[in-house]
Amino acid sequence: MKDREIELIHKAQNGDSFAFEQLVSGYDRQVLSLAYSIVGNPDDAQDIYQEALIAAYRALPKFRIESNFFTWLYRIAVNKAINFKRKNLKYQVESITKSGSDSYAPDHDLRISLSDTPEEVTVRKELKTIIDEAVLLLSTRERMAFVLCHQEGYKLREAAELMNCSLGSVKSYLFRSREKLKAHLKPYMEN
Amino acid sequence: MSADKLKEQVLLYLYGELSDDDNLLFEEDLAKYDNLRTIYEEEKKLHELYSLRSDKTIPDSLLQASRSELRERLREENTGSTAKSRLSKGIIYILFGSPVKTMVALSMLTIGILLGKYVSIEVDFDDGIEVHQRTALMDGNISSELLGSDALEIADMKIIAYDADSEEITISVDAVASVSIRGNISNNKIQTILAAALQSDLGPSIRLKSIELLKMNIEKKEIVNALIQALQGDDNPGVRLKAVEALAPYTDNTDVKNALLNTLKRDGNAGVRIQAILALKDNKDPKVLEVLKHKMESDENEYIRHQSKESVSGWTIDKTGREI
């Protein structure tokens, strides 16, 4: 850990909230981004962000300096996001099977490139929305495993540590999430 | 091997979870067995489809709003802490227990001071007043001559701590004064100010200019750290891009390398990621190869996938003498 970070941690541990703000300023975008990925709306994402960072500030006196601060903070955020979703699921996701969405070629290259036609870009945008909705239909832990491993690029072992569960569990959550997404997207893939 | 087991192997391969040996075996099997290839093609297509969701860019306005709310909540945390009663006791002691010292403290506060933003004033009742900068890299005393500027504005005074036994008090204020400083670009204090501006100035053009000036003397650890922090935390992609450019010649430094790898993995801006690839492509660390291989397969941006592939190819030829 860098000297500057250690210094800020010591100050924040002694109640210097300004030092805490500086300390988390390099990481809080990732916390907010994770929260947004999990809940899918900015209001709830902000709530998770606040809960996670305030919890971290309160728990900071117990933080061991030899640990990695970001991992410690991110683990708090992951747990807040999991628990938040469990308590506060307050919106329903509409059916993803929309009428009129029957023009997706199964072997279409889904990546956006400069040569894409406006129609292709529109198709991808719509697909992205459908995937977003399908992800929100996963269980919280499946969604978390998917976001961490697929979206954020964490290794299974790292995701297990962040989610405070076994490697096998994360693997199950991730693979199950893929199967569920596949089932949701089947109508589009077939078309 | 059962279909489920084959599928598991395919997914572990796609997520980069296989060891190097298992990767090789898997690729050999992929070339040999049609059923494995069918599963692989299907899962790879789904993998790319799911990656459409990857771009969850957080609007800057949302982050700034969250930070403002956090600041408020942290203040509430501090005022609501158990230290509150002790603090109150201390303030009463200042006000009524020692009039002379109270007068000294209050008169110091009224002339109070400082340059720059966000400073902390520590009042030592025996020796008068000491002022310490609280901003990221600006530690040190400010002489008393600098106190009392007419242009100075003080706001948001907080009593951070008061110890009734030693009679030591720590007070913080937000203070702003306009000061011009002249010196050589390599001067430590000038660099410190530039680094602080890079980390806290609200104007992206100032932060960009700071990077340009800082990179002339980048050998200092503090400067490298400031650039890394900008790379990881600045809201403006142009600033992050400049930070990558400035750090590019120093990828042998582990902190720099890790920061650039992190940028390549997670930065939401494709231009910044491309710059990170260019910075890292000649670094022969296996960690770099691992990330490049992942990007080659899964980055949403076609140019990045292509650049990663080229870099991986070059890396492998250099390292082992054969192409992958």
Side-chain angles (χ1 to χ4, degrees), chain B residues 252-286:
Chain B
D252 288 342
N253 177 310
T254 307
D255 289 343
V256 171
K257 184 176 62 200
N258 288 339
L260 289 171
L261 279 172
N262 203 34
T263 297
L264 178 54
K265 276 198 273 190
R266 302 201 173 94
D267 198 289
N269 184 284
V272 179
R273 298 202 300 277
I274 289 168
Q275 202 62 41
I277 289 180
L278 296 175
L280 286 165
K281 67 178 183 180
D282 295 327
N283 189 296
K284 305 304 177 194
D285 188 313

Side-chain angles (χ1 to χ4, degrees), chain A residues 4 16 18 21 28-29 37 50 57-58 111 113 131-132 150 155-156 171 178-179 182, chain B residues 7-8 15-17 42-43 47 49-50 53 60 66-67 71 77-78 134 136 235 302 305:
Chain A
R4 179 66 192 154
D16 184 341
F18 181 75
E21 282 180 58
D28 62 344
R29 179 181 282 276
S37 295
Q50 299 299 336
Y57 184 63
R58 287 177 185 157
R111 294 166 297 201
S113 71
I131 295 164
D132 281 349
H150 195 91
K155 293 283 180 197
L156 288 170
K171 206 196 280 183
R178 287 180 63 103
E179 284 306 302
K182 186 178 167 185
Chain B
K7 193 167 176 178
E8 185 179 333
Y15 281 105
E17 293 284 345
E42 187 186 3
E43 290 301 328
H47 206 69
L49 180 63
Y50 300 154
R53 193 184 190 250
D60 287 347
S66 303
R67 284 177 174 172
R71 185 168 298 133
E77 280 292 313
N78 279 350
R134 273 183 77 200
D235 300 338
E302 190 174 7
R305 293 197 301 277

Side-chain angles (χ1 to χ4, degrees), chain B residues 164-231:
Chain B
D165 297 331
S166 64
E167 299 181 343
E168 189 173 291
I169 188 166
T170 305
I171 299 168
S172 84
V173 293
D174 289 354
V176 180
S178 176
V179 176
S180 66
I181 299 164
R182 193 173 171 182
N184 189 281
I185 187 68
S186 61
N187 178 283
N188 197 38
K189 285 189 176 169
I190 296 276
Q191 292 214 323
T192 299
I193 290 168
L194 290 171
L198 171 59
Q199 291 174 306
S200 63
D201 198 285
L202 295 176
S205 61
I206 300 294
R207 301 201 299 276
L208 280 169
K209 194 72 189 164
S210 300
I211 292 180
E212 279 176 21
L213 294 168
L214 282 169
K215 74 178 180 185
M216 298 176 195
N217 289 281
I218 207 169
E219 65 271 12
K220 287 180 186 158
K221 192 183 169 193
E222 290 78 10
I223 304 303
V224 171
N225 287 345
L227 287 165
I228 287 175
Q229 197 170 339
L231 179 61

Side-chain angles (χ1 to χ4, degrees), chain A residues 34 48 51-52 71-87 140-141 144 148 160-165:
Chain A
L34 172 79
I48 291 171
E51 278 190 25
T71 306
W72 178 81
L73 178 68
Y74 210 62
R75 194 183 299 134
I76 292 174
V78 165
N79 286 315
K80 287 289 172 191
I82 289 173
N83 293 326
F84 180 88
K85 203 62 189 99
R86 203 180 283 153
K87 286 184 295 192
T140 312
R141 286 184 176 275
M144 184 59 80
L148 289 175
E161 193 191 332
L162 287 168
M163 290 175 68
N164 201 21
C165 63

Side-chain angles (χ1 to χ4, degrees), chain A:
Chain A
M1 200 182 297
K2 293 170 211 141
D3 293 346
R4 179 66 192 154
E5 192 162 281
I6 292 170
E7 186 189 337
L8 288 173
I9 288 170
H10 284 314
K11 285 183 176 176
Q13 283 176 328
N14 288 319
D16 184 341
S17 60
F18 181 75
F20 182 75
E21 282 180 58
Q22 285 187 291
L23 179 62
V24 299
S25 65
Y27 309 122
D28 62 344
R29 179 181 282 276
Q30 281 169 269
V31 170
L32 189 59
S33 179
L34 172 79
Y36 191 56
S37 295
I38 294 299
V39 293
N41 71 88
D43 290 342
D44 287 347
Q46 274 189 306
D47 285 350
I48 291 171
Y49 172 97
Q50 299 299 336
E51 278 190 25
L53 291 176
I54 292 293
Y57 184 63
R58 287 177 185 157
L60 199 59
K62 292 177 197 158
F63 174 76
R64 286 176 297 117
I65 219 78
E66 60 271 22
S67 310
N68 181 297
F69 179 74
F70 174 67
T71 306
W72 178 81
L73 178 68
Y74 210 62
R75 194 183 299 134
I76 292 174
V78 165
N79 286 315
K80 287 289 172 191
I82 289 173
N83 293 326
F84 180 88
K85 203 62 189 99
R86 203 180 283 153
K87 286 184 295 192
N88 298 303
L89 183 60
K90 52 189 173 193
Y91 53 87
Q92 294 295 318
V93 179
E94 290 174 12
S95 167
I96 59 166
T97 328
K98 292 176 181 168
S99 59
S101 303
D102 56 357
S103 58
Y104 307 117
D107 58 350
H108 192 83
D109 181 0
L110 294 158
R111 294 166 297 201
I112 295 172
S113 71
L114 292 174
S115 59
D116 285 340
T117 64
E119 192 187 348
E120 286 168 329
V121 173
T122 309
V123 168
R124 280 189 201 96
K125 261 188 183 171
E126 201 168 330
L127 264 175
K128 188 175 181 303
T129 307
I130 292 161
I131 295 164
D132 281 349
E133 290 175 352
V135 168
L136 289 174
L137 292 170
L138 299 172
S139 77
T140 312
R141 286 184 176 275
E142 287 163 357
R143 188 160 59 247
M144 184 59 80
F146 180 81
V147 166
L148 289 175
C149 297
H150 195 91
Q151 203 165 305
E152 303 282 326
Y154 281 95
K155 293 283 180 197
L156 288 170
R157 180 185 46 76
E158 295 167 328
E161 193 191 332
L162 287 168
M163 290 175 68
N164 201 21
C165 63
S166 68
L167 182 68
S169 300
V170 172
K171 206 196 280 183
S172 298
Y173 292 138
L174 177 64
F175 291 178
R176 215 183 301 150
S177 70
R178 287 180 63 103
E179 284 306 302
K180 286 186 179 178
L181 290 176
K182 186 178 167 185
H184 285 306
L185 295 169
K186 200 175 174 189
Y188 299 94
M189 297 298 285
E190 283 171 354
N191 286 324

Side-chain angles (χ1 to χ4, degrees), chain B residues 125-181:
Chain B
F125 292 122
D126 294 325
D127 300 329
I129 185 167
E130 286 177 24
V131 183
H132 296 273
Q133 298 279 39
R134 273 183 77 200
T135 43
L137 293 160
M138 297 182 69
D139 292 324
N141 295 335
I142 302 297
S143 69
S144 57
E145 292 81 48
L146 291 171
L147 306 180
S149 161
D150 289 340
L152 186 79
E153 290 180 23
I154 292 183
D156 194 24
M157 195 193 84
K158 282 187 289 188
I159 297 175
I160 293 174
Y162 174 72
D163 187 287
D165 297 331
S166 64
E167 299 181 343
E168 189 173 291
I169 188 166
T170 305
I171 299 168
S172 84
V173 293
D174 289 354
V176 180
S178 176
V179 176
S180 66
I181 299 164

Side-chain angles (χ1 to χ4, degrees), chain B residues 2-45:
Chain B
S2 71
D4 283 348
K5 196 72 191 162
L6 286 178
K7 193 167 176 178
E8 185 179 333
Q9 286 297 301
V10 167
L11 294 181
L12 291 174
Y13 177 77
L14 286 173
Y15 281 105
E17 293 284 345
L18 295 179
S19 66
D20 290 347
D21 288 346
D22 287 345
N23 251 340
L24 276 176
L25 281 174
F26 179 85
E27 282 163 7
E28 283 171 12
D29 287 348
L30 203 55
K32 272 193 273 182
Y33 303 115
D34 289 345
N35 58 341
L36 181 62
R37 204 159 45 246
T38 306
I39 295 171
Y40 172 75
E41 293 297 340
E42 187 186 3
E43 290 301 328
K44 188 166 178 278
K45 201 176 288 174

